[in-house]
Amino acid sequence: MKSVSLHDVRKSYGGVDAVKGISFEVAKGEFMGILGPSGCGKSSTLRMIAGLEDITSGELRFDGVVVNELSPKDRGIGMGFENYALYQPLTVRENIAFPLEARGMPRAEMAPRVQKMAKLMEVEDVLDRKPYELSGGQQQRVSLARALVRDPSVLLLDEPLSHMDRHARVRLRARIRHIHDAIGATSIYVTHDQEEAVALCDRVAVMNFGDLQQIGSVEELWHRPRNRFVAGFLGQPAMNFIPSVTVDRHRLRFEVEGQPTIEVRQALPEPGRRVTFGIRPEHVRIGGEDASIPGRVVLVEMEGDVDVITIDVGGIELKTRTGTHWAMASGDQVRLAFPVESRHVFDGEDDAAPALA
Amino acid sequence: MDKLQLQGITKHYGRTLAVDDVSFACTRGEFFSILGASGAGKSTLLKSVAGIVQPDRGRVLIDGHDVTKRPIQDRNVAMAFENYSLYPQMKVYENIAFPLRAPTRPRRLSPTEERAKVTHVATILGIEPYLDRLPGQLSGGQRQRVSLARAMVREPNVFLLDEPLAHLDAKLKFQTRTRLKQLAVEIGATTLYVTHDFREALSLSDRILILRQGRIEQIGTPKEIYHAPATDFVAALVGDPPMNLIDGRVARAGDRLRFEVEDAPVPIVIDLPENAAIDRIGGEGTVRLGCRPGDLRIAPDDRGAIRLPIYAIEHSAEASLLSFSLGHDRIIQAQVPGRIDARAGEPVPIGFAADRLFLFRKSFELGEV
């Protein structure tokens, strides 16, 4: 396994930039996610790393060596796709051995490697079966075994779980993480599913409109999003945003009925500036001593062990995500507290608005 | 009186039995969901109420009147489909207003009344800015909301909604779900809602029917379905992360009931509470134990805690998810709040909360992952 680094890598199709000169490094043994909505450039980025797309400009390096001109085969990539594309006429054993056979490895050398991979993926007892005799999860594991059997430079995973049923998906996710740790892989995982990226990856690169929005650990992205887009993209339900105006250096006024003001730790720009206040549903507290923002319960939605409560605050709706111990009903008057360490402020009103520190 | 009743609905397609003797009733104003996998027969039930599918046996009653043989237009039901079937040559406004202009309406609305109704529904569903556009100029998600608005504008007897949020991305799905619920409450409509998404069913419904291969598996409120699943099938379908299901044997040891997992890497023995309803599942012997990931504890001082190495560890912003391998193809998971300070491979003690365990009779094979 190797480290992977992108240096101002750009991809354009007919003059339009699908990927706008992005740079980041994935350390050897790291599990990196590339996350974003459809059309954000994440798949183009992955395909450039794999060598399936030409790089318009910039450099791609494996262990510091530029590989722009290397063919996919020579880059030594292991790919795990959403559709596992196993060879149906071949047995599981032959499928796993295929990449070794293609390189002309002698049989004696091949067998122990296939065996080792099959053991790791827990498919030893189905080695002589055909793919169609396996469950979806087993096929997926065979596909991973095939991707990893020749000790690739990097493991690339493109939405490998999106077609699995829920019960299997969460468990297979754990398997992928286990395998990554067990072989010390360098893994790059592309997904539009923020929950999946957050769960699996050491660090996540968030993309939008072909540009890197932020790269960081889940904690960084969650607690210190760089702009409004990143803040809103991670989390379900999404962060609550309240249009606001700055009052002085550490106070702003919500542009809602009643115009409550609130203090923030962030250093605010000049008074009278339009900003966005942000608070995650997980951090909105109902009641308690310091609860001062008045609101009215609009809707309580049960989601299992948590309730999502929609609360009208002066004409805009906020969501909270809480345990189910609250006996709340539509129409209830409540007071809300926003813990000071969980208050976010963005300098502006659109997705690009940067977070204030 | 019940607003909507289905009595013994049975439907075959060729030799395939799609719906098998399904009966239920919805009260006036109730939001009633049918939850199941694709192919379970959900849409067939909905279409029998709409009059699009004629059941082989059974009756559909609306307000106590048998409408089984009545044509679609005489039932005063409104339906929104997963595929939106809008009129492409009409503007969004005209599409939504269309049902209000139907000749079967008792009274023609004035243009002002019509505009007020259309605008109201469109505003709630967030498509008010697009009223002057053609459907072809909208995204899939926007079209789906137009289709929903068209169904909801006419205040019919019964709303029939077939996966109306299916094409929306995660964020929009969440928003639209809330608005849909608000709209249904506001209108006081009786709604029959088909979905495969347990979150939608839990959050929207007064009651949920779980359909499995054309048959009723359970009917209950969201709380009943979540906290007292009747079968392992319901347990696996509802909840996130999905409930752990572990096959093993229940045996008496002195005055205690114990659950033992066979061929696990370490002996796994769980003390069951005295009141464990093992009679309901056919007494001692092979059973399936259910436990939600959030109900497993990582607790060093727990009596009877099992020590297992962490198979994989995943962190979300507010919780950690630990996976453990119970031998071949069996992974169980524990969700703990906050960020746990542990590493993959490290053995940790796992405690099972006795009062949060479920016992089921095994009704399906767990898919190998």
Side-chain angles (χ1 to χ4, degrees):
Chain A
M1 289 288 173
K2 297 179 175 172
S3 69
V4 175
S5 57
L6 284 76
H7 304 266
D8 203 19
V9 165
R10 196 163 63 85
K11 177 71 198 178
S12 53
Y13 300 98
V16 180
D17 281 354
V19 178
K20 297 175 183 165
I22 62 171
S23 304
F24 61 86
E25 176 156 7
V26 187
K28 187 169 145 60
E30 190 173 24
F31 204 129
M32 173 68 88
I34 304 181
L35 172 70
S38 64
C40 72
K42 58 185 189 296
S43 291
S44 297
T45 304
L46 191 84
R47 292 173 62 80
M48 284 192 285
I49 298 171
L52 302 171
E53 296 266 7
D54 287 337
I55 296 169
T56 308
S57 69
E59 276 183 0
L60 172 69
R61 296 182 196 156
F62 287 0
D63 269 353
V65 177
V66 177
V67 296
N68 286 39
E69 301 305 324
L70 286 188
S71 72
K73 178 164 68 67
D74 296 329
R75 289 186 197 187
I77 302 280
M79 283 286 257
F81 287 106
E82 177 188 347
N83 51 348
Y84 7 81
L86 297 175
Y87 305 108
Q88 294 301 325
L90 304 185
T91 64
V92 168
R93 187 190 308 279
E94 290 160 342
N95 262 286
I96 298 175
F98 192 85
L100 303 178
E101 195 139 8
R103 284 201 289 178
M105 184 181 280
R107 272 181 191 274
E109 207 177 310
M110 233 154 53
R113 295 180 72 155
V114 170
Q115 199 62 41
K116 185 180 148 215
M117 225 8 100
K119 184 167 163 36
L120 179 65
M121 302 295 165
E122 297 179 35
V123 290
E124 313 107 289
D125 52 354
V126 293
L127 277 172
D128 294 314
R129 294 204 204 150
K130 298 280 175 67
Y132 62 83
E133 297 174 273
L134 309 182
S135 72
Q138 286 172 321
Q139 291 190 42
Q140 185 69 259
R141 277 184 272 149
V142 174
S143 145
L144 275 173
R146 190 180 56 182
L148 291 169
V149 73
R150 60 194 173 131
D151 189 20
S153 320
V154 52
L155 176 63
L156 302 182
L157 298 158
D158 193 1
E159 310 252 4
L161 304 179
S162 51
H163 68 289
M164 312 278 310
D165 79 51
R166 246 169 28 81
H167 208 265
R169 192 162 59 215
V170 181
R171 286 166 174 77
L172 186 57
R173 207 172 72 191
R175 269 194 197 283
I176 290 177
R177 182 70 220 200
H178 175 79
I179 290 156
H180 169 92
D181 291 340
I183 63 177
T186 305
S187 304
I188 301 179
Y189 190 96
V190 162
T191 180
H192 69 282
D193 183 332
Q194 52 101 16
E195 190 191 327
E196 220 169 86
V198 161
L200 267 175
C201 303
D202 300 323
R203 286 194 303 152
V204 178
V206 183
M207 290 187 72
N208 196 25
F209 302 126
D211 225 344
L212 198 57
Q213 301 292 315
Q214 186 170 359
I215 185 163
S217 69
V218 169
E219 277 186 312
E220 280 163 4
L221 297 174
W222 186 256
H223 293 291
R224 292 185 297 284
R226 224 177 73 187
N227 59 32
R228 229 187 95 153
F229 174 79
V230 175
F233 198 76
L234 262 77
Q236 189 70 274
M239 185 185 279
N240 297 297
F241 293 124
I242 308 177
S244 306
V245 171
T246 55
V247 175
D248 55 34
R249 189 114 180 102
H250 286 290
R251 252 180 339 140
L252 48 79
R253 185 176 69 234
F254 293 161
E255 290 296 276
V256 299
E257 244 170 76
Q259 305 199 319
T261 59
I262 192 166
E263 273 187 38
V264 293
R265 284 176 176 174
Q266 290 88 341
L268 299 175
E270 79 283 357
R273 181 131 146 174
R274 306 194 73 83
V275 295
T276 305
F277 176 84
I279 181 94
R280 292 200 183 277
E282 290 81 355
H283 299 150
V284 174
R285 274 214 335 270
I286 301 177
E289 263 176 35
D290 50 348
S292 59
I293 310 284
R296 182 179 50 84
V297 174
V298 175
L299 195 64
V300 179
E301 295 172 275
M302 186 221 186
E303 272 207 346
D305 282 335
V306 294
D307 280 343
V308 175
I309 306 179
T310 305
I311 297 168
D312 180 289
V313 174
I316 73 159
E317 287 180 355
L318 305 188
K319 292 198 186 294
T320 73
R321 197 177 147 83
T322 71
T324 50
H325 49 278
W326 295 95
M328 292 274 168
S330 302
D332 286 358
Q333 298 291 333
V334 293
R335 286 190 173 268
L336 305 178
F338 306 147
V340 68
E341 68 279 8
S342 309
R343 297 173 188 174
H344 300 262
V345 187
F346 304 93
D347 190 9
E349 297 170 299
D350 59 8
D351 272 353
L356 294 172
Chain B
M1 191 196 357
D2 290 325
K3 181 73 187 173
L4 171 69
Q5 283 175 270
L6 277 75
Q7 299 176 341
I9 299 290
T10 299
K11 176 69 186 175
H12 290 79
Y13 294 110
R15 305 177 91 171
T16 309
L17 180 58
V19 172
D20 186 5
D21 192 21
V22 168
S23 303
F24 65 90
C26 306
T27 58
R28 184 177 299 279
E30 186 171 29
F31 202 115
F32 191 93
S33 292
I34 302 173
L35 173 65
S38 62
K42 308 185 296 284
S43 295
T44 300
L45 276 179
L46 202 72
K47 286 176 183 165
S48 339
V49 177
I52 299 167
V53 161
Q54 191 61 42
D56 306 335
R57 280 198 302 280
R59 300 198 305 163
V60 176
L61 285 78
I62 296 179
D63 288 325
H65 303 292
D66 186 346
V67 298
T68 320
K69 304 281 182 217
R70 276 197 214 162
I72 302 173
Q73 61 271 25
D74 293 348
R75 297 188 180 199
N76 193 22
V77 297
M79 188 150 179
F81 295 98
E82 182 181 350
N83 51 359
Y84 357 89
S85 55
L86 301 174
Y87 301 106
Q89 74 283 17
M90 287 186 195
K91 287 183 174 167
V92 168
Y93 180 90
E94 312 289 323
N95 263 289
I96 299 175
F98 192 80
L100 299 175
R101 300 170 182 173
T104 51
R105 300 279 298 179
R107 184 177 72 83
R108 201 171 166 81
L109 297 177
S110 77
T112 326
E113 286 173 310
E114 183 190 278
R115 180 152 283 276
K117 270 183 184 292
V118 170
T119 312
H120 178 63
V121 173
T123 305
I124 289 186
L125 291 172
I127 46 172
E128 205 249 327
Y130 317 119
L131 286 176
D132 287 328
R133 297 211 193 149
L134 292 171
Q137 298 171 295
L138 304 182
S139 71
Q142 289 163 342
R143 272 183 283 196
Q144 198 163 38
R145 284 179 284 158
V146 174
S147 160
L148 200 53
R150 188 177 59 182
M152 303 199 86
V153 74
R154 51 186 275 214
E155 298 168 26
N157 265 326
V158 178
F159 282 130
L160 305 174
L161 304 177
D162 192 353
E163 302 267 8
L165 309 181
H167 293 300
L168 306 182
D169 68 41
K171 296 263 181 262
L172 204 52
K173 189 178 273 191
F174 211 97
Q175 262 173 32
T176 310
R177 186 181 96 185
T178 304
R179 290 178 168 157
L180 177 66
K181 176 74 179 176
Q182 281 173 264
L183 204 55
V185 170
E186 181 188 317
I187 300 172
T190 307
T191 307
L192 195 57
Y193 187 93
V194 158
T195 182
H196 71 281
D197 181 333
F198 84 91
R199 284 176 207 268
E200 282 176 27
L202 286 182
S203 63
L204 286 166
S205 315
D206 297 310
R207 284 189 302 152
I208 300 167
L209 183 160
I210 311 258
L211 198 64
R212 178 185 189 182
Q213 293 173 328
R215 291 193 189 169
I216 297 176
E217 188 84 358
Q218 186 173 4
I219 298 182
T221 64
K223 284 199 161 66
E224 287 164 354
I225 296 284
Y226 187 79
H227 294 294
T231 65
D232 56 348
F233 181 82
V234 176
L237 194 65
V238 174
D240 186 53
M243 188 187 281
N244 294 304
L245 295 172
I246 312 167
D247 295 339
R249 295 178 57 79
V250 164
R252 257 181 208 289
D255 59 344
R256 304 201 69 111
L257 277 175
R258 300 167 81 177
F259 175 85
E260 288 182 57
V261 182
E262 287 160 347
D263 35 275
V266 298
I268 295 180
V269 179
I270 301 164
D271 282 339
L272 298 175
E274 251 327 280
N275 59 358
I278 59 161
D279 297 335
R280 190 168 59 85
I281 54 159
E284 297 171 31
T286 304
V287 296
R288 178 163 281 179
L289 181 89
C291 181
R292 295 206 184 277
D295 292 330
L296 282 179
R297 288 188 309 261
I298 305 302
D301 47 359
D302 246 28
R303 242 177 38 112
I306 297 156
R307 286 185 82 80
L308 282 174
I310 298 173
Y311 177 78
I313 184 160
E314 297 168 76
H315 299 289
S316 69
E318 308 280 329
S320 303
L321 186 66
L322 307 181
S323 296
F324 303 93
S325 176
L326 286 192
H328 218 54
D329 285 320
R330 285 181 303 199
I331 288 176
I332 63 163
Q333 298 183 310
Q335 190 172 41
V336 295
R339 202 175 176 84
I340 194 168
D341 187 20
R343 301 184 72 82
E346 187 180 322
V348 294
I350 309 158
F352 289 80
D355 57 334
R356 301 286 288 157
L357 296 176
F358 299 93
L359 290 178
F360 303 108
R361 192 179 289 149
K362 174 175 153 181
S363 78
F364 66 98
E365 290 300 327
L366 288 168
E368 294 188 345
V369 294

